Structure formats: C-alpha cells, structure tokens
Amino acid sequence: MTAHEIIIRPIVSEQSYDMMEQNKYTFEVAKFATKLQVRDAIEEIFGVHVTRVNTLNVKPKTKRVRYIAGKTRTWKKAIVTVAEGETIEIFGTQA
C-alpha cells in the first residue's frame, strides 16, 4: 500500500485541534494498516519525525431513519505524536 492509501484524511474536531498543542495529530487510516505503516506514511507525506503512534478502531453507532435502525461504518483512527519542534500543516494553518 502506498502512503496515500494508508492515510485517508485528517480528523478535524475541537478535540483534535486541542491535541495539536501537544504535537498530536489525528488521522483516519486504512482499516488494516499497522502502526509501523502509519508512521512511515506520515513521515513520507509530511516530512516530520514521528515519535509515537496510537491506533484505535472506532465502533459503529446505531442511527435511526424513521422506523429503520441501521449502523454507521467502522473505521480506524490514528493519533500521531511528532517530534518536539516539528508541526504538520493542516488546511494551510500551522498549529
């Protein structure tokens, strides 16, 4: 898998923006990607040194549309910690 197939998109939320102050960035990654693959992909795409990768599988939530109950999709989230003094530029803003 290439680096762009592993890293799907950055997660933009209030919590993820607060974690940027601690050099932690959140991404949606491929479901079967390992921590080593995520680290290598981030280093290749953004040119930073990754010190730590935490991954978690996001479970589906039950949603209702009128009388039919369904579930949202499952996906994998990675929280990447970069080296001190380095940043990842997301949406043209530097954290």
Side-chain angles (χ1 to χ4, degrees), residues 5-81:
E5 290 174 342
I6 293 172
I7 306 299
I8 297 173
R9 68 183 177 99
I11 304 297
V12 180
S13 65
E14 289 183 23
Q15 184 179 8
S16 68
Y17 267 100
D18 290 340
M19 289 193 318
M20 284 183 197
E21 296 172 1
Q22 304 166 359
N23 288 342
K24 293 183 180 183
Y25 298 89
T26 309
F27 295 93
E28 179 182 347
V29 296
K31 214 169 189 181
F32 300 105
T34 64
K35 290 182 179 187
L36 294 175
Q37 290 173 330
V38 171
R39 184 192 69 197
D40 293 340
I42 293 292
E43 288 178 349
E44 180 182 330
I45 293 172
F46 297 106
V48 295
H49 298 289
V50 175
T51 59
R52 185 176 202 156
V53 176
N54 295 332
T55 60
L56 59 123
N57 291 315
V58 179
K59 295 179 180 178
K61 294 181 181 178
T62 303
K63 298 287 183 176
R64 288 181 47 111
V65 177
R66 289 198 164 229
Y67 306 110
I68 300 172
K71 291 192 179 262
T72 60
R73 66 187 178 94
T74 60
W75 52 286
K76 191 170 192 176
K77 179 168 38 172
I79 300 172
V80 178
T81 305

